[in-house]
Amino acid sequence: MNSSLCQGWVSHRRWAPRAHAFRYRLGMLYLDLAEQAEVFGLSRLLVGRWRCAPLCWREQDYLPAYTGQGLSLADAVRRVLREALGDAAPDGAIHLLTQPRSWGLSFNPVSFFLCFDRDGELAAVLCEVTNTPWLERHHYVLPMAQGKASDVRVAKAFHVSPFLPRDLEYRMRFLAEGPHLRIRMEDWRGEEKLFQADLWLQRQPLDAKALRRHLLAFPWMTLRTVTAIYWQALRLLLKRTPIFTHQAATAPLSVAHPPHEESRHAKP
């Protein structure tokens, strides 16, 4: 089975206009979209389509503009990739790194669709970003250089945090090697780095027993994520961090510049 449970850490650090940092443990699901029936048949009580289950899987929680019209999630991802990359869109496996709906609550600051070519190489990443409290969505398509690691750059096009401006550049780095998943996202304004987020995850085998252990370790993962967002926002307000006015995205999709070959062997 390619699908797995993931446990690890997420950390945020900002340098300007106020210094601030935190780190949390978290659990996520790494799902091969071709294995949905197998994965969600492990336990009807713990994982299923019951909306208020401890973990509930609903394809309509992702890319709702497409899945809400009856398109499967895998087909929706491929359609977005074709719109963004044309004939260069990969047509191999699609793996989703996300926090599934938990006890009826669905919210992901970002979900990553890792899209592989037919040779099993990571060829593109589709990031679905959601903000709060507006609950808007934006999608970034990031083509990858061949190799195990890749850096990409894309202009920020979507208002996420009210404590960061829009006129920034994202610099992202991905590493998927064996059981390890590493993702780094940096916000740059010119030559000044304002913010950095890191995700360090270890993939673990997925079976019914492992799933129960995962739920005991992270019983309210989605609620914890939302609570942490507002708690850190309060801390930033108490530090008198400036607030930037919310701006709606001008388009639902952004495409990164093709990565440079020299980024192949970069490490997060």
Side-chain angles (χ1 to χ4, degrees):
M1 183 183 292
N2 294 318
S3 302
S4 58
L5 298 168
C6 296
Q7 296 186 10
W9 297 88
V10 60
S11 69
H12 286 196
R13 180 177 294 275
R14 66 177 68 221
W15 289 269
R18 301 286 188 272
H20 187 74
F22 64 86
R23 188 173 80 149
Y24 289 113
R25 278 192 59 77
L26 83 164
M28 302 184 74
L29 174 67
Y30 185 71
L31 175 66
D32 184 337
L33 293 185
E35 296 179 346
Q36 292 184 52
E38 184 177 357
V39 170
F40 299 113
L42 289 174
S43 172
R44 292 186 178 182
L45 293 177
L46 298 179
V47 180
R49 291 174 173 79
W50 176 44
R51 192 181 184 90
C52 292
L55 287 180
C56 172
W57 172 251
R58 299 178 70 246
E59 286 198 332
Q60 293 78 14
D61 287 337
Y62 306 89
L63 297 173
Y66 300 97
T67 57
Q69 301 300 317
L71 204 64
S72 73
L73 183 55
D75 287 343
V77 173
R78 297 191 194 283
R79 178 174 293 185
V80 173
L81 292 177
R82 286 196 300 270
E83 291 174 358
L85 304 177
D87 293 339
D91 56 358
I94 300 173
H95 297 172
L96 169 61
L97 181 64
T98 190
Q99 294 176 8
R101 180 181 292 269
S102 174
W103 301 107
L105 180 61
S106 174
F107 180 77
N108 275 282
V110 56
S111 293
F112 299 97
F113 295 88
L114 281 70
C115 306
F116 298 82
D117 61 23
R118 293 186 179 182
D119 295 326
E121 294 286 347
L122 181 61
V125 176
L126 169 61
C127 305
E128 182 174 58
V129 183
T130 308
N131 59 17
T132 180
W134 305 282
L135 297 181
E136 300 166 324
R137 298 183 190 232
H138 190 75
H139 299 91
Y140 293 93
V141 174
L142 315 175
M144 297 286 113
Q146 292 182 354
K148 295 181 179 179
S150 186
D151 294 348
V152 291
R153 298 185 179 191
V154 63
K156 181 179 179 180
F158 182 60
H159 188 96
V160 179
S161 168
F163 303 102
L164 285 169
R166 270 270 297 274
D167 59 331
L168 299 175
E169 180 185 62
Y170 285 141
R171 300 182 185 180
M172 301 186 193
R173 184 175 297 176
F174 296 83
L175 173 63
E177 186 174 21
H180 305 289
L181 291 173
R182 304 287 187 268
I183 300 173
R184 170 171 291 179
M185 187 277 290
E186 300 172 348
D187 283 350
W188 287 76
R189 176 183 266 176
E191 297 303 314
E192 181 185 16
K193 181 164 69 169
L194 304 183
F195 174 84
Q196 177 177 305
D198 286 285
L199 189 61
W200 299 276
L201 295 171
Q202 181 89 9
R203 294 178 58 194
Q204 301 176 352
L206 177 56
D207 56 29
K209 290 183 178 180
L211 182 58
R212 287 191 287 269
R213 290 194 299 267
H214 185 85
L215 287 173
L216 288 174
F218 304 99
W220 300 92
M221 194 65 247
T222 306
L223 180 60
R224 286 174 57 187
T225 297
V226 175
T227 302
I229 289 172
Y230 285 99
W231 168 241
Q232 297 302 328
L234 176 59
R235 291 181 62 196
L236 287 167
L237 286 173
L238 293 175
K239 290 183 177 182
R240 301 183 181 275
T241 306
I243 295 177
F244 295 87
T245 303
H246 172 263
Q247 296 176 300
T250 57
L253 180 68
S254 298
V255 184
H257 297 297
H260 298 293
E261 288 298 310
E262 58 265 27
S263 71
R264 285 185 181 184
H265 303 293
K267 298 278 186 177

